[in-house]
C-alpha cells in the first residue's frame, strides 16, 4: 500500500510515467506515508513507540537472550567448536534419547537427531531477528516441548527446557499484545480523523 502510494507520488512529482528507484520510493514512502483504513499504520507513530517503550524493551531483551541461547545450543549440537565438553555430553545424551524415544525403528540415529535439532535451532534463532519472530518462537516452543517430554520420559529434571519455554511464551505473547495494541490504536486514530 505504501509503496504503491509512493510510486504514484514519485510519478506525479516528476511529471510523467517514469518510475523512480526503490531507494527513492522508500524515502518518499516514509516521508509521505498517510494512514488509511486499509493500512492503518504504514509508519509507526513516535507517540505509540514511546507509549510501548517498556514492552518493546522487554521484547528485545527476551529476543536477544533467546537468539544467543539457541545459537550457542545449536552450534554445540552440530560441532564441538563452541564448547567441546558440552558437545561430547550432548553426544552421549542424544544416544539415550534415541533409545528412549524408540527412533531407531524409524531410521533416526543419534547423530541425525542431534544434527536435525541443532540445524533447526540455528535457523530459528536467526529467524527470531526477522519479521517472522512469532512463527519462529512457536517452532522453538515445539522443540522445547519435545525436550521437556524427553526429560520427563527419562525421569530427568526438565527445569532448563521449562525455563526456556517460559521465555519463548513470554516473548511471543508480548509481541502479539504490542502488535495488536498498536494496530487497534492506529485504526482508532484513523477512524476518528475520518469522522
Amino acid at each position: 500500500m505504501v509503496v504503491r502510494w509512493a510510486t504514484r507520488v514519485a510519478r506525479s512529482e516528476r511529471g510523467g510515467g517514469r518510475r523512480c528507484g526503490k531507494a527513492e520510493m522508500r524515502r518518499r514512502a516514509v516521508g509521505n506515508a498517510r494512514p488509511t483504513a486499509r493500512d492503518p499504520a504504514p509508519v509507526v507513530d513516535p507517540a505509540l513507540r514511546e507509549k510501548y517503550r517498556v514492552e518493546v524493551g522487554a521484547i528485545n531483551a527476551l529476543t536477544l537472550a533467546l537468539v544467543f541461547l539457541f545459537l550457542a545450543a545449536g552450534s554445540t549440537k552440530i560441532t564441538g567448536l563452541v564448547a567441546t565438553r558440552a558437545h561430547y555430553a550432548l553426544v552421549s545424551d542424544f544416544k539415550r534419547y534415541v533409545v528412549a524415544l524408540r527412533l531407531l525403528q524409524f531410521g533416526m540415529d543419534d547423530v541425525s537427531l542431534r544434527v536435525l535439532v541443532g540445524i533447526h535451532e540455528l535457523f530459528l534463532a536467526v529467524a527470531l531477528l526477522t519479521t517472522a519472530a512469532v512463527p519462529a518462537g512457536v517452532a522453538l516452543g515445539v522443540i522445547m516441548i519435545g525436550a521437556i517430554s524427553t526429560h520427563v520420559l527419562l525421569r530427568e529434571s526438565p527445569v532448563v527446557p521449562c525455563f526456556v519455554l517460559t521465555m519463548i511464551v513470554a516473548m511471543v505473547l508480548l509481541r502479539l499484545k504490542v502488535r495488536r495494541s498498536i494496530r487497534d490504536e492506529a485504526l482508532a486514530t484513523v477512524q476518528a480523523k475520518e469522522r
Side-chain angles (χ1 to χ4, degrees):
M1 181 74 183
V2 174
V3 174
R4 276 189 256 141
W5 189 80
T7 304
R8 279 186 256 136
V9 169
R11 286 182 183 171
S12 65
E13 285 179 0
R14 290 196 294 195
R18 296 182 333 190
R19 290 184 168 250
C20 61
K22 287 183 181 179
E24 181 69 15
M25 278 197 308
R26 282 192 199 107
R27 184 186 65 76
R28 291 180 184 185
V30 171
N32 299 323
R34 295 183 185 136
T36 63
R38 288 179 61 200
D39 189 15
V43 178
V44 177
D45 186 22
L48 286 176
R49 281 189 186 174
E50 184 61 29
K51 183 176 181 181
Y52 293 103
R53 184 173 48 90
V54 174
E55 288 90 347
V56 170
I59 290 169
N60 291 339
L62 282 170
T63 302
L64 289 177
L66 287 169
V67 166
F68 175 74
L69 182 86
F70 280 107
L71 284 176
S75 61
T76 303
K77 284 181 179 80
I78 295 173
T79 66
L81 297 176
V82 176
T84 307
R85 289 183 186 163
H87 174 74
Y88 290 120
L90 283 171
V91 167
S92 64
D93 287 344
F94 271 86
K95 287 180 183 177
R96 290 184 305 119
Y97 300 160
V98 167
V99 171
L101 296 172
R102 298 183 182 140
L103 294 176
L104 289 174
Q105 63 187 355
F106 300 111
M108 177 77 70
D109 61 341
D110 59 323
V111 175
S112 302
L113 179 65
R114 183 172 41 84
V115 170
L116 182 71
V117 171
I119 288 174
H120 278 86
E121 286 178 350
L122 286 175
F123 282 124
L124 292 171
V126 172
L128 284 177
L129 297 174
T130 66
T131 56
V134 172
V138 171
L140 285 171
V142 169
I143 290 174
M144 286 298 104
I145 290 172
I148 291 168
S149 61
T150 303
H151 283 285
V152 168
L153 182 67
L154 291 172
R155 293 191 172 102
E156 296 175 350
S157 174
V159 172
V160 174
C162 286
F163 179 71
V164 174
L165 181 63
T166 305
M167 288 174 58
I168 292 170
V169 168
M171 187 264 310
V172 168
L173 290 179
L174 267 174
R175 277 186 184 274
L176 292 175
K177 176 189 170 231
V178 169
R179 185 182 299 170
R180 179 175 293 137
S181 298
I182 288 175
R183 185 193 67 218
D184 290 347
E185 288 183 26
L187 190 59
T189 304
V190 169
Q191 288 173 348
K193 287 181 182 179
E194 289 178 354
R195 291 182 187 167

